Amino acid sequence: MSSIIELKNICKSFGDTEVLHNIDLSIREGEVVVVIGPSGSGKSTLIRCINCLEMISSGELTVDGIRIPEERGRTRQIRLEVGMVFQQFNLFPHMTALENVAFGPCKARKMNKSKASDIARDLLKKVGLAEFENKLPGQLSGGQQQRVAIARALAVSPKVLLFDEPTSALDPEMIGEVLDVMKSIAKDSGMTMVVVTHEMGFAAQVGDRLIFMDDGRIVEEGKPGEVMKNPESERLKDFLGHVKHH
Amino acid sequence: MGFEFSVITESLPALLAGAKLTWIITILGIIGGMVCGILAGLGRIAGTEALGEEPHGIFKPISVAIRYISGCYVETIRGTPIIVQAMFLYFAFPMLVKAVTDIERFRIEALTAAVITIIFNAGAYIAEIVRGSVISVNKGLLEAGMSLGISRFQLIVHVIGPIAFRRMIPPLGNQFIISLKDTSLFIVIGVGELTRQGQEIMASNFRALEIWLTVAIMYLIMTTVLAMSLRKIERKMKIF
Ligand SMILES: Nc1ncnc2c1ncn2[C@@H]1O[C@H](COP(=O)(O)OP(=O)(O)OP(=O)(O)O)[C@@H](O)[C@H]1O
Ligand SMILES: [Mg+2]
């Protein structure tokens, strides 16, 4: 199967500090990749490079056939195909849940309002929030907000979804509801997903591949079950020990 | 010479005419000032991350130029008294035109000069209000918008604009009231606004107490109307 995301020798620097060093990574269509690693290892930067929220400093990135940096003018096209879910939800505070979800199809996909609202309603139902469509983000719990945010990202029918620690800002009792939604997306729609998370249960259940990053490099990767059971590097052993004891 | 109520009733028509002119200058001035201020305020942060992402290629130097021009405008206006700006526009500008072109009889009406002065003056302060509120919009919201694949224009109109606008209302109210009161300075270029009308009546009957009390109350009514309209807009917007 062809790869939908291809990173070749990617480096990313902020000022003089290089935070990603020569990353090579290729992700197949429909694959669920889970990225783990200690704080500051470059996980967020890596996935933000994929939808060009950060511009790579060198190397070559190909997303759905669009090549960066050559086709830098087409980053918007990439973003239409690559949705993102953030740790802090980032829902538009002046729009209701329904408006948040309908916004993308309406503005980015130029759909008419009623069709966009239909899509949004369907998605809100799918994430279990049908009866909350007229609530503003401020009136929803963290878990509910994150589910709206997932519906919003899905609404423009992207080919890839990026998740940056989607459950890290949630109270423990809300983590499950968000992970359930993510699992059903992975299983039902065959969506390509890149998920930064420390939820090892999620990684084991739905991940096709686990990537361990440290200090701006991919240190280890493989089938989640195997990597977790037999970590090769000391750093990953260490890291898994920390995550488990949480 | 006690307090004569009849003095007020006699001078009321002239004072009301002045108040009407004050109101017209103010309304035209703040409408134009909003347009000017939004353009200059966005101009000052053109091409920065506050409006999405930094541009590349040819747009980079263009945005630097826009920032520079907007900055010069704001600093020039903020750095000079409004009364000097009005005098410059009314007395000096026509001479400047005459000096650099062949147009002999170029004139600006006093009222026009007054409106233009308020537009440019308020515009500079509103630009800072706009810039401040736009900068304060959470960057995560911009990233969420960009991740959906919307254009920069849509991002500004539908995400940054509404959120920033709500935060602008209190300082805008302040600026509108200042602009209204600044119209009293146009007494120096002979615009028959409220303060000048008061001054003229005073010069003929010497009833300072009655006249200035009425003038003050009229200003107070107009500023209250401005403040209350803004409060109403603020309440109408969704709470978030
Ligand atoms: N905008 C930025 N400017 C400068 N340095 C940055 C910026 N963003 C990230 N960095 C640096 O890049 C490195 C990687 O950061 P990144 O956020 O990708 O790590 P992370 O693995 O996501 O960490 P965490 O688990 O804490 O989210 C860090 O050293 C960070 O300080
Ligand atoms: Mg991170």
Side-chain angles (χ1 to χ4, degrees):
Chain A
M1 228 180 175
S2 64
S3 56
I4 187 161
I5 299 169
E6 184 100 41
L7 288 82
K8 277 199 199 127
N9 205 19
I10 299 280
C11 299
K12 171 67 188 173
S13 311
F14 291 107
D16 293 335
T17 334
E18 191 173 274
V19 299
L20 292 180
H21 316 288
N22 310 89
I23 302 268
D24 284 302
L25 174 66
S26 123
I27 296 171
R28 282 175 288 110
E29 231 174 311
E31 196 177 6
V32 177
V33 177
V34 176
V35 182
I36 58 172
S39 181
S41 58
K43 309 178 297 291
S44 298
T45 307
L46 176 72
I47 66 167
R48 288 163 59 84
C49 281
I50 293 175
N51 72 348
C52 302
L53 280 182
E54 305 290 357
M55 193 38 70
I56 55 173
S57 305
S58 68
E60 197 179 281
L61 168 73
T62 312
V63 181
D64 195 30
I66 299 169
R67 300 187 312 151
I68 300 291
E70 287 90 336
E71 300 178 86
R72 218 184 140 162
R74 294 181 68 196
T75 51
R76 243 183 94 189
Q77 194 58 40
I78 290 184
R79 289 180 188 148
L80 272 173
E81 304 305 338
V82 181
M84 181 135 179
V85 175
F86 302 84
Q87 182 173 356
Q88 300 298 337
F89 331 133
N90 293 341
L91 290 179
F92 306 126
H94 57 302
M95 299 184 195
T96 63
L98 187 77
E99 288 166 344
N100 262 284
V101 182
F103 182 72
C106 193
K107 301 301 172 195
R109 295 282 190 198
K110 311 242 175 300
M111 237 173 243
N112 69 44
K113 257 210 165 88
S114 74
K115 202 168 159 211
S117 296
D118 288 345
I119 291 177
R121 244 176 230 115
D122 268 1
L123 283 167
L124 282 178
K125 200 158 127 198
K126 212 165 134 190
V127 298
L129 293 171
E131 65 271 43
F132 294 92
E133 64 170 57
N134 291 320
K135 294 265 191 268
L136 289 169
Q139 301 167 314
L140 299 172
S141 75
Q144 290 167 335
Q145 286 189 57
Q146 192 61 299
R147 284 185 282 156
V148 174
I150 293 172
R152 175 178 67 177
L154 282 172
V156 284
S157 10
K159 293 184 178 150
V160 180
L161 269 190
L162 309 173
F163 294 82
D164 193 359
E165 305 203 32
T167 57
S168 298
L170 297 176
D171 290 338
E173 72 270 21
M174 293 171 184
I175 292 175
E177 64 193 51
V178 171
L179 289 178
D180 285 344
V181 167
M182 292 168 61
K183 282 176 200 163
S184 79
I185 295 168
K187 289 198 172 122
D188 305 345
S189 62
M191 176 78 72
T192 309
M193 290 165 61
V194 185
V195 186
V196 176
T197 185
H198 293 154
E199 296 295 332
M200 301 313 285
F202 174 86
Q205 262 186 53
V206 294
D208 296 313
R209 181 157 37 141
L210 184 66
I211 289 179
F212 172 62
M213 285 187 73
D214 191 23
D215 196 21
R217 291 189 175 79
I218 295 178
V219 177
E220 240 175 276
E221 61 180 308
K223 286 232 165 295
E226 289 164 24
V227 173
M228 281 191 263
K229 217 183 287 166
N230 307 308
E232 283 171 20
S233 62
E234 279 309 312
R235 286 187 285 184
L236 179 51
K237 280 178 203 163
D238 232 36
F239 179 78
L240 288 174
H242 281 300
V243 174
K244 268 183 207 138
H245 293 301
H246 243 287
Chain B
M1 212 157 114
F3 189 92
E4 283 281 352
F5 201 75
S6 63
V7 174
I8 294 179
T9 41
E10 275 161 30
S11 53
L12 210 52
L15 290 180
L16 280 174
K20 189 174 157 197
L21 209 51
T22 293
W23 189 248
I24 290 171
I25 298 170
T26 305
I27 295 301
L28 293 178
I30 61 186
I31 290 172
M34 280 298 288
V35 175
C36 217
I38 289 170
L39 290 177
L42 294 179
R44 285 201 89 176
I45 46 176
T48 68
E49 283 192 346
L51 293 179
E53 57 202 319
E54 285 166 17
H56 55 96
I58 179 73
F59 295 106
K60 215 166 181 165
I62 291 178
S63 66
V64 173
I66 293 175
R67 284 206 298 272
Y68 184 76
I69 294 167
S70 315
C72 285
Y73 158 64
V74 171
E75 297 308 347
T76 306
I77 296 292
R78 286 202 306 185
T80 53
I82 185 168
I83 200 161
V84 173
Q85 292 160 13
M87 301 266 230
F88 184 88
L89 191 61
Y90 186 59
F91 296 114
F93 186 66
M95 301 183 85
L96 185 69
V97 171
K98 204 163 131 188
V100 300
T101 69
D102 286 337
I103 306 167
E104 267 300 316
R105 297 170 56 80
F106 182 83
R107 271 195 76 230
I108 300 180
E109 288 286 319
L111 182 60
T112 313
V115 172
I116 294 175
T117 303
I118 292 288
I119 289 176
F120 281 106
N121 186 275
Y125 291 97
I126 292 172
E128 285 299 271
I129 295 172
V130 170
R131 184 171 73 96
S133 338
V134 168
I135 286 174
S136 78
V137 175
N138 177 354
K139 208 165 145 267
L141 299 175
L142 309 194
E143 293 184 345
M146 288 191 281
S147 300
L148 292 171
I150 61 172
S151 67
R152 184 192 304 271
F153 181 76
Q154 288 172 322
L155 187 71
I156 293 173
V157 171
H158 299 291
V159 179
I160 301 174
I163 296 169
F165 183 67
R166 195 162 194 287
R167 299 185 187 164
M168 282 178 217
I169 295 175
L172 277 181
N174 228 2
Q175 181 55 44
F176 291 176
I177 287 170
I178 290 171
S179 288
L180 188 145
K181 293 189 294 184
D182 277 350
T183 60
S184 71
L185 297 167
F186 297 136
I187 195 170
V188 299
I189 56 171
V191 179
E193 43 68 50
L194 182 53
T195 302
R196 187 179 177 93
Q197 295 290 5
Q199 174 68 33
E200 277 176 2
I201 297 166
M202 236 278 298
S204 63
N205 66 7
F206 305 104
R207 306 296 300 206
L209 176 61
E210 291 87 348
I211 299 302
W212 292 122
L213 184 67
T214 313
V215 167
I217 289 171
M218 284 182 168
Y219 274 114
L220 204 53
I221 290 170
M222 289 191 282
T223 53
T224 306
V225 169
L226 272 185
M228 278 179 17
S229 331
L230 277 156
R231 194 79 52 73
K232 205 164 173 183
I233 296 174
E234 194 172 356
R235 268 200 302 264
K236 255 196 182 158
M237 302 192 65
K238 286 177 191 160
I239 310 292
F240 56 84

